[in-house]
Amino acid sequence: MGIIGSTLTPFTATAFQKGKDFFTVTDADLAGKWSVFFFYPADFTFVCPTELEDMGEKYAQLQSMGVEVYAVSTDTHFSHKAWSDTSDKIGKLTFPFLGDQNHVLSNNFGVLRQDSGLADRATFVVDPDGVIQIMEITCEGVGRNANELTRKIKAAQYVRANPGQVCPAAWEEGSDTLAPSLDLVGKI
């Protein structure tokens, strides 16, 4: 079974978020909201902080779109806090970091590397009904782009709000969409 269109599997995780005490996040907390699960291999590494910083630059915009971002690695919430306390890039981030040391989330999303106990570099967008709408997994050395992720979320939100419409390649907010029909077959 593919993961797109599947429902979020129940989970409980402890989160670190700058300026807050540790807190619990569960699948029930996501109900009615858009969510991004931004998996990365490990704290205190190399590509990961560049990606997380890039995501941090889009965080306010994503929140204004009704989207919460959860950074996830197989490190503990204590490690996330230590990284935030010691890294300039990570220290300025304000979205929650989920500890997945028991590998529940990494297994639920199918991104756990069994041989190392680390998560793949992967992104999942979950809609307000708990259904996975977008996924991206890249190899270890290739970082993701928060601008492109934001564009995809806007497209997913548009399609959800406008049944019968689809967003073509490179669609940007305000651009033309398509209404699939027999009239379009062979004409695109």
Side-chain angles (χ1 to χ4, degrees):
M1 178 174 99
I3 196 164
I4 297 295
S6 66
T7 302
L8 190 63
T9 305
F11 73 91
T12 299
T14 303
F16 162 75
Q17 188 169 12
K18 188 173 181 81
K20 294 186 176 184
D21 290 331
F22 295 132
F23 60 99
T24 300
V25 175
T26 71
D27 53 295
D29 297 322
L30 280 56
K33 305 171 195 168
W34 287 87
S35 303
V36 170
F37 286 84
F38 199 76
F39 287 87
Y40 62 97
D43 292 350
F44 299 99
T45 55
F46 314 103
V47 174
C48 302
T50 67
E51 292 184 304
L52 292 163
E53 180 182 42
D54 185 47
M55 181 63 74
E57 291 170 2
K58 286 300 207 184
Y59 186 49
Q61 180 181 359
L62 290 167
Q63 284 192 303
S64 75
M65 295 164 50
V67 180
E68 184 56 84
V69 173
Y70 298 96
V72 186
S73 76
T74 57
D75 298 292
T76 68
H77 54 289
F78 297 112
S79 180
H80 295 328
K81 181 181 184 322
W83 196 23
S84 178
D85 290 346
T86 58
S87 167
D88 291 339
K89 288 184 184 306
I90 303 305
K92 63 185 177 183
L93 302 176
T94 57
F95 48 77
F97 283 71
L98 303 181
D100 190 33
Q101 67 274 16
N102 295 326
H103 304 157
V104 171
L105 285 164
S106 299
N107 276 315
N108 286 357
F109 283 93
V111 297
L112 181 67
R113 298 181 206 161
Q114 295 294 332
D115 60 334
S116 66
L118 301 177
D120 281 325
R121 193 175 304 288
T123 308
F124 297 88
V125 177
V126 179
D127 74 15
D129 297 320
V131 177
I132 298 170
Q133 296 295 333
I134 296 169
M135 68 176 282
E136 176 184 20
I137 301 174
T138 66
C139 66
E140 183 71 26
V142 177
R144 294 160 284 181
N145 183 314
N147 286 325
E148 176 62 5
L149 175 62
T150 303
R151 184 195 71 78
K152 289 176 184 177
I153 294 170
K154 286 179 181 181
Q157 289 179 333
Y158 181 89
V159 168
R160 180 181 170 91
N162 296 278
Q165 295 289 308
V166 296
C167 297
W171 178 87
E172 294 287 343
E173 190 172 29
S175 298
D176 290 340
T177 57
L178 301 171
S181 69
L182 287 176
D183 297 336
L184 288 180
V185 173
K187 296 180 180 164
I188 298 177

